[in-house]
Amino acid sequence: MARPRIDRAEADAVLQELRRREEDDCDNFHHYELDAEHRLKNLFWADCDSRLDYFSHGDVVVFDTTYRTNKYAMPFVPFVGLSHHRTPTLFGCGIISDQSLDSYVWLLRTFLLSVAQRRPKSVITDGGDAVVAAVKIVFPDSNHRICSWHVEQAIEEHLHGASTRNEFRSLVCDACSPEAFEERWYGFMAKHRTAGNRRWLDDMYGKRELWAAAFVHDKFFLGMAGDQRTECLATRLHTGLHGGMSLPDLLRHADACAHGMRRARRRGQQSAARWFTPANFYLLREEIKMIDSFEVVEATARGHPTFGKKVYMVVFRQRRGVLFHVECSGYGVGEVIRCSCRKMEREGLPCRHILCAMRHNDSSLIPNCCALRRMRRRGDVKFERLHEMEELGRRVFDLASEDAQEFKEIKEFLEGWLDDRNAVLRGSGAVAVVDSNAADDADSVTPVTKKTKLIEG
């Protein structure tokens, strides 16, 4: 089936918007390619924040080319990585007309152009044949491996039986020598190769240096060698895409996701340091460092999707038989989170398993129930109120955004409240002034408190 032709009006609208952004700030970047009929063929863009983030955190780049969810069936390819706080960061986005080698080479070269030809140390991809070939051409000296989430999906599709799948997973995860891998591989093939999986196994063997721990365990991938969810950082940009989405809609969607990721990163960096005293934050930081040693292998919801109970099964990667159960129920001030390790009950601080479940649920703030008052800094009542309202507001806004009428009602209420509040301030002659000396360093354990003073006019 031929790909639908891109509407010229949509393409012109997107290109005009990207040109306007570059005129406003020359550090914004976009580049595009037209086909023989002068229609948009390939497009890449990156704003100034994305480019700056790359120069700080672009040593490992993840990109997934398998999502074709828009009305033109064009692959949407976000380039993402991890910040120094191990939170997702966006380096740019691309749209390509097809999954050919030429399109991928164009995309990767354009990405390099946006970052002043600074190649990443390592890249993680979905492992498609054309992608693998393009990486060899454009990033010949970079480490390359296939995202373990995609490997896992292929295992589920092509291998049958728990024992067979686990034996193959051991080839993915066990850091043996290349010689030992070869011996184990041929033993696996002798037992489990069938007419149905022969072609896939031959293809995987040809790409063994891109997924087997025997070849990739000692290379620099920021500890993502076995972390399926961390490697799929781009999934949050793919969430919300649909087959009827236009190019302007896709641009707006990417903008909204990028802003959300940056906002969550800022909030997440500040949350723990501002909640806890320095001594308790030091202990909590040790738990945060251990998150990557665990992963959520199963998450189940019971009752109402927002107000019901959620149970996460968390596994220790090095000993996958060691399981922990994290149970979350309620919301806001009534929220309760428990882990089977009982660390929270014993020591009053959230454990690495709870933090792992939070990350799985895309939560960037320490829940109120996991920050006992005796562990917190004293006197920051405003921050405690703000934290509680942010948690409640997040749930309200998520629900209201799904219904046009509820969205309108909530929006009008908030606008009316702000108008009334501003009218009171104007009537009293008071002006809200923010202390310009307020720090914004998330790495510090000193609380960052914006002090608002009312000065009589």
Side-chain angles (χ1 to χ4, degrees):
M1 181 178 175
R3 179 176 59 85
R5 294 159 62 90
I6 298 175
D7 182 80
R8 288 185 184 274
E10 287 190 12
D12 289 344
V14 168
L15 294 177
Q16 183 177 354
E17 171 61 20
L18 294 175
R19 290 190 193 103
R20 183 195 64 77
R21 295 181 185 184
E22 278 196 41
E23 290 174 357
D24 291 342
D25 188 339
C26 62
D27 287 329
N28 289 321
F29 175 92
H30 82 282
H31 192 60
Y32 62 93
E33 184 180 28
L34 302 178
D35 62 18
E37 298 179 357
H38 299 284
R39 289 181 175 271
L40 183 64
K41 180 180 179 183
N42 299 319
L43 172 66
F44 176 87
W45 72 93
D47 63 22
C48 55
D49 290 328
S50 295
R51 299 176 74 193
L52 286 174
D53 281 341
Y54 179 82
F55 289 113
S56 299
H57 313 301
D59 40 11
V60 179
V61 175
V62 184
F63 59 95
D64 186 341
T65 68
T66 60
Y67 287 82
R68 302 166 67 91
T69 313
N70 52 75
K71 71 179 185 180
Y72 301 110
M74 299 174 70
F76 171 55
V77 188
F79 290 75
V80 293
L82 284 180
S83 75
H84 58 300
H85 290 279
R86 302 197 70 83
T87 55
T89 185
L90 180 68
F91 303 139
C93 295
I95 303 172
I96 53 178
S97 59
D98 54 43
Q99 294 178 299
S100 67
L101 175 60
D102 288 343
S103 291
Y104 289 134
V105 168
W106 180 92
L107 180 64
L108 297 185
R109 284 177 173 165
T110 304
F111 171 71
L112 271 185
L113 183 63
S114 75
V115 294
Q117 302 297 325
R118 179 175 170 178
R119 288 173 170 80
K121 292 181 181 178
S122 305
V123 293
I124 301 174
T125 74
D126 54 82
D129 292 341
V131 174
V132 171
V135 169
K136 287 182 179 179
I137 294 171
V138 184
F139 302 141
D141 299 321
S142 299
N143 301 318
H144 180 198
R145 68 179 302 275
I146 299 173
C147 167
S148 59
W149 184 87
H150 285 282
V151 174
E152 179 63 28
Q153 298 308 299
I155 290 173
E156 293 290 331
E157 178 182 354
H158 295 283
L159 299 178
H160 304 287
S163 61
T164 302
R165 290 170 176 167
N166 288 336
E167 190 172 342
F168 192 93
R169 291 184 183 111
S170 71
L171 295 171
V172 178
C173 301
D174 292 352
C176 59
S177 67
E179 295 76 16
F181 172 85
E182 295 290 328
E183 182 178 348
R184 293 172 61 186
W185 176 265
Y186 286 111
F188 179 88
M189 293 282 280
K191 289 192 297 182
H192 303 297
R193 183 167 61 176
T194 66
N197 64 31
R198 181 190 303 270
R199 185 173 181 178
W200 176 74
L201 288 173
D202 289 343
D203 180 60
M204 291 299 287
Y205 181 74
K207 297 176 181 177
R208 61 193 180 282
E209 294 185 1
L210 304 181
W211 57 266
F215 302 97
V216 301
H217 78 281
D218 58 346
K219 296 179 180 178
F220 181 75
F221 289 105
L222 283 176
M224 292 191 281
D227 189 344
Q228 296 175 25
R229 184 181 177 276
T230 305
E231 289 179 13
C232 288
L233 300 170
T235 56
R236 66 188 59 208
L237 283 100
H238 294 137
T239 301
L241 298 179
H242 57 81
M245 184 169 279
S246 67
L247 292 188
D249 287 340
L250 193 59
L251 178 62
R252 286 189 288 269
H253 171 81
D255 288 344
C257 289
H259 294 155
M261 291 165 67
R262 290 165 188 155
R263 183 171 60 250
R265 183 172 68 192
R266 290 192 296 268
R267 292 165 61 199
Q269 291 168 7
Q270 296 172 3
S271 178
R274 291 186 63 180
W275 264 123
F276 296 94
T277 63
N280 287 309
F281 176 69
Y282 177 82
L283 296 175
L284 180 61
R285 189 167 56 182
E286 298 305 306
E287 295 298 304
I288 294 174
K289 290 178 181 178
M290 291 299 297
I291 294 178
D292 290 320
S293 298
F294 295 81
E295 68 174 318
V296 174
V297 294
E298 183 179 338
T300 58
R302 304 170 186 172
H304 191 278
T306 300
F307 309 114
K309 180 184 296 185
K310 296 181 180 178
V311 179
Y312 303 89
M313 185 178 295
V314 181
V315 64
F316 184 40
R317 297 185 192 283
Q318 297 180 6
R319 295 173 58 193
R320 300 189 70 85
V322 180
L323 297 174
F324 300 89
H325 293 82
V326 176
E327 183 178 293
C328 308
S329 59
Y331 71 98
V333 294
E335 186 174 19
V336 176
I337 301 180
R338 295 188 178 91
C339 178
S340 57
C341 78
R342 314 300 288 178
K343 178 182 176 67
M344 186 70 202
E345 288 79 358
R346 294 194 312 272
E347 302 178 22
L349 290 171
C351 62
R352 58 199 66 176
H353 319 120
I354 288 177
L355 298 174
C356 180
M358 287 171 51
R359 184 180 68 174
H360 179 87
N361 203 34
D362 288 329
S363 176
S364 60
L365 297 175
I366 301 292
N368 199 33
C369 62
C370 291
L372 300 183
R373 184 168 293 276
R374 72 180 316 278
M375 302 292 185
R376 303 179 195 174
R377 295 177 179 274
R378 303 295 185 185
D380 198 352
V381 177
K382 178 184 174 182
F383 177 73
E384 293 185 9
R385 292 172 181 165
L386 178 62
H387 181 91
E388 184 177 326
M389 292 184 71
E390 284 178 338
E391 286 293 299
L392 181 60
R394 179 174 60 84
R395 292 177 170 87
V396 172
F397 299 155
D398 181 64
L399 291 172
S401 64
E402 296 176 357
D403 182 89
Q405 183 61 33
E406 290 181 348
F407 168 78
K408 182 179 178 181
E409 292 175 358
I410 295 296
K411 182 181 178 182
E412 290 177 350
F413 169 78
L414 293 175
E415 290 174 342
W417 189 92
L418 286 173
D419 288 342
D420 292 343
R421 179 69 168 172
N422 289 333
V424 171
L425 291 175
R426 287 193 299 269
S428 65
V431 180
V433 177
V434 178
D435 185 357
S436 62
N437 296 320
D440 195 20
D441 183 3
D443 292 330
S444 170
V445 295
T446 303
V448 184
T449 307
K450 289 184 178 180
K451 300 178 180 179
T452 303
K453 301 178 181 179
L454 293 179
I455 302 177
E456 297 296 332

